[in-house]
């Protein structure tokens, strides 16, 4: 059974700092639209997955891009950051306010960077949720989006 907790202040600061650094690395202005940022993240994932990343580099890239991606979900869609635990998986994710839906940004970016067979679907999922096309779920149901 999944559960989530609020982030600590140091965790919030880390997310904000790493997301801002990723935004600069992608050449995006501070007030770029969330859709533009999500497209830039998808392009970066597509480019970087063709290179051989070491483990540390993979984790750093996935963390920075995942945090930047999650910030767009928070800003545009009104989701919030939580630290989610579900069985053996635990990590930062964005959730709807009632925790019906969960999107594990860092984990998804890590998977897309590490596995060239994995579809880079961050734009598609973002647009789907922004349009209100979400699967049915119950409050605190922790339905995972991928």
């Amino acid at each position: 059974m999944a559960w989530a907790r609020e982030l600590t202040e140091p965790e919030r600061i880390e997310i904000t700092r790493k997301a801002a650094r990723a935004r600069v690395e992608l050449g995006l202005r501070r007030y770029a639209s969330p859709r533009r940022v999500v497209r830039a993240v998808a392009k970066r994932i597509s480019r970087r997955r063709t290179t051989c990343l070491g483990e540390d580099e993979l984790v750093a890239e996935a963390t920075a891009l995942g945090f930047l991606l999650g910030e767009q979900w928070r800003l545009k869609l009104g989701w919030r950051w939580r630290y989610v635990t579900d069985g053996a998986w635990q990590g930062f994710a964005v959730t709807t306010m009632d925790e019906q839906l969960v999107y594990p940004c860092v984990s998804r970016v890590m998977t897309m960077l590490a596995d060239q067979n994995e579809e880079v679907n961050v734009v598609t999922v973002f647009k789907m949720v922004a349009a209100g096309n979400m699967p049915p779920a119950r409050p605190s149901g922790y339905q995972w989006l991928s």
Side-chain angles (χ1 to χ4, degrees):
M1 176 142 162
W3 62 274
R5 67 166 173 79
E6 296 287 335
L7 300 186
T8 64
E9 190 60 27
E11 289 169 337
R12 284 187 227 286
I13 291 168
E14 177 186 8
I15 287 171
T16 302
R17 185 176 46 84
K18 287 184 177 178
R21 189 176 319 143
R23 179 186 296 274
V24 169
E25 287 178 14
L26 293 175
L28 296 167
R29 295 178 188 259
R30 182 174 179 183
Y31 297 106
S33 74
R35 288 178 193 252
R36 182 174 179 182
V37 174
V38 171
R39 283 194 307 270
V41 168
K43 277 185 181 178
R44 176 67 171 238
I45 293 168
S46 294
R47 277 193 315 246
R48 294 290 283 176
R49 67 195 277 169
T50 61
T51 62
C52 186
L53 298 174
E55 184 67 27
D56 291 343
E57 195 176 15
L58 175 65
V59 170
E61 184 84 4
T63 301
L65 292 175
F67 286 164
L68 180 58
L69 184 61
E71 281 294 281
Q72 305 321 298
W73 285 66
R74 187 182 65 77
L75 294 168
K76 173 72 177 171
L77 306 174
W79 289 37
R80 65 181 174 167
W81 281 104
R82 305 285 279 164
Y83 190 85
V84 179
T85 301
D86 187 12
W89 190 92
Q90 60 183 359
F92 297 108
V94 286
T95 70
T96 52
M97 293 306 276
D98 61 3
E99 298 177 355
Q100 285 185 8
L101 302 170
V102 178
Y103 187 69
C105 305
V106 174
S107 178
R108 289 295 303 139
V109 170
M110 176 89 70
T111 301
M112 288 180 239
L113 283 170
D115 183 357
Q116 290 192 11
N117 294 321
E118 187 73 22
E119 180 184 0
V120 179
N121 66 349
V122 295
V123 173
T124 304
V125 174
F126 185 81
K127 284 182 176 179
M128 177 190 77
V129 173
N133 297 327
M134 298 179 285
R138 66 187 197 319
S140 298
Y142 299 101
Q143 172 94 19
W144 292 81
L145 298 178
S146 59

